[in-house]
Amino acid sequence: PTQLQAVSKRPPVSLEGADGYSPFPPLTGSTSVRFSATQNLSDNPSKPVPSNEKLCLIFGTSITEHVKGDMMSKGSRTVVNISQSGANINDIKQLASDFHHENLSSIHKVDKIIVSVGTNDVKFYNCWKRDMRKDIKPKLVSLIKILKQLFPSAEIHFHTMLPIKLMYKYTADSVHQFNNLLLETCSQNGCFFFDCFSRFLDERGVLCNQVLFRDSYHLNSAGLKVLCRALKFIVYSNLFNPHPRYSLYNRSYPF
């Protein structure tokens, strides 16, 4: 079977969960660790890889690092999670470049890319004193340009940046501005914007749903299950609507 190559700084974490999520095994040492992207495209070495095999790559941060790609894979569709704790927009560009360089023989199979980014770019961002459009939009445009160059056959899907539990009333404006900017950038650059933001708010749709978070930034097992359900929808959806914004839940958050 095809091998996806990358360098790992520590052994892969053992994850469990039928929907591709886990209850977060405790991490030791620094949490800013690059996970291995090395993965057999078939769990059974004796089973041939389908000739029509398609790859979906997830480039993300600690928000997505515990999503287990092989548990989201099905049939000829293989999901590979390449997430790095602490990654910002520029780090995602580097992850994509590294994957491309190390897996040239598999690039033609990549037909879908999911990007989870934003938290590490805006969690300490003061949107009242700084211009996010000036500071961040050029980075998003550059990321999209690189992804299209490296993976010319792939659809590119960004999902909404999730709420930040820490100082929610302070961070909410920055999060909303980022998501609005992300939607605009996707619309202007031929990418898809998946809106799952409201699923991480309370029943009133106003505040961050603390039941789904294990700390100020990261989801707990319940929250990750919600996220994995959204990611699986992106992985297996076939979109014919030219409008770039879509959702599993038939409603969009008014950013």
Side-chain angles (χ1 to χ4, degrees):
T2 307
Q3 294 281 339
L4 302 183
Q5 302 297 328
V7 176
S8 175
K9 293 184 179 179
R10 66 180 174 92
V13 177
S14 175
L15 305 180
E16 297 180 357
D19 290 318
Y21 66 96
S22 79
F24 303 150
L27 302 180
T28 58
S30 172
T31 58
S32 182
V33 177
R34 177 177 175 183
F35 280 80
S36 172
T38 304
Q39 178 176 332
N40 284 318
L41 297 187
S42 172
D43 291 333
N44 183 355
S46 64
K47 180 180 179 181
V49 177
S51 59
N52 62 339
E53 177 191 37
K54 299 296 183 181
L55 295 180
C56 175
L57 308 181
I58 301 175
F59 293 108
T61 66
S62 56
I63 302 298
T64 54
E65 69 179 349
H66 289 290
V67 174
K68 194 169 184 182
D70 60 354
M71 299 183 71
M72 300 185 73
S73 302
K74 180 174 65 175
S76 61
R77 165 69 65 191
T78 298
V79 179
V80 183
N81 184 9
I82 309 155
S83 295
Q84 175 179 311
S85 179
N88 57 28
I89 296 170
N90 289 334
D91 293 326
I92 298 296
K93 288 170 58 177
Q94 188 60 53
L95 287 175
S97 296
D98 289 348
F99 182 90
H100 182 274
H101 176 72
E102 296 159 355
N103 299 280
L104 290 174
S105 63
S106 298
I107 297 305
H108 68 284
K109 299 179 181 180
V110 179
D111 72 335
K112 189 170 291 189
I113 291 172
I114 301 173
V115 183
S116 175
V117 71
T119 301
N120 297 308
D121 296 274
V122 306
K123 62 185 178 183
F124 299 122
Y125 192 92
N126 190 332
C127 65
W128 296 299
K129 294 184 178 180
R130 300 175 63 183
D131 186 347
M132 189 175 293
R133 183 177 298 277
K134 180 180 178 181
D135 294 338
I136 294 180
K137 186 172 182 178
K139 296 179 182 179
L140 289 171
V141 172
S142 177
L143 171 58
I144 292 171
K145 181 178 179 180
I146 289 294
L147 291 175
K148 288 187 172 184
Q149 289 176 346
L150 297 178
F151 310 98
S153 300
E155 293 179 356
I156 301 173
H157 299 247
F158 286 81
H159 76 70
T160 45
M161 177 184 168
L162 304 186
I164 295 177
K165 179 180 172 183
L166 179 67
M167 298 185 295
Y168 180 79
K169 291 184 178 180
Y170 173 82
T171 58
D173 283 345
S174 293
V175 172
H176 291 170
Q177 279 194 29
F178 179 86
N179 280 326
N180 187 62
L181 189 64
L182 182 59
L183 172 60
E184 175 186 294
T185 306
C186 287
S187 301
Q188 295 172 348
N189 292 273
C191 299
F192 293 96
F193 177 87
F194 183 78
D195 185 355
C196 58
F197 188 83
S198 62
R199 300 298 296 177
F200 297 91
L201 299 178
D202 62 14
E203 293 180 355
R204 296 182 299 158
V206 177
L207 300 177
C208 176
N209 187 349
Q210 300 189 28
V211 174
L212 301 178
F213 289 79
R214 64 183 171 97
D215 58 27
S216 298
Y217 305 104
H218 303 100
L219 301 171
N220 57 25
S221 58
L224 192 53
K225 185 173 183 180
V226 174
L227 178 61
C228 283
R229 190 176 298 121
L231 293 177
K232 289 180 77 172
F233 181 80
I234 300 175
V235 171
Y236 295 103
S237 64
N238 292 309
L239 299 177
F240 301 98
N241 187 342
H243 195 282
R245 184 174 187 169
Y246 69 109
S247 174
L248 169 62
Y249 310 104
N250 296 320
R251 60 176 176 171
S252 298
Y253 188 84
F255 297 117

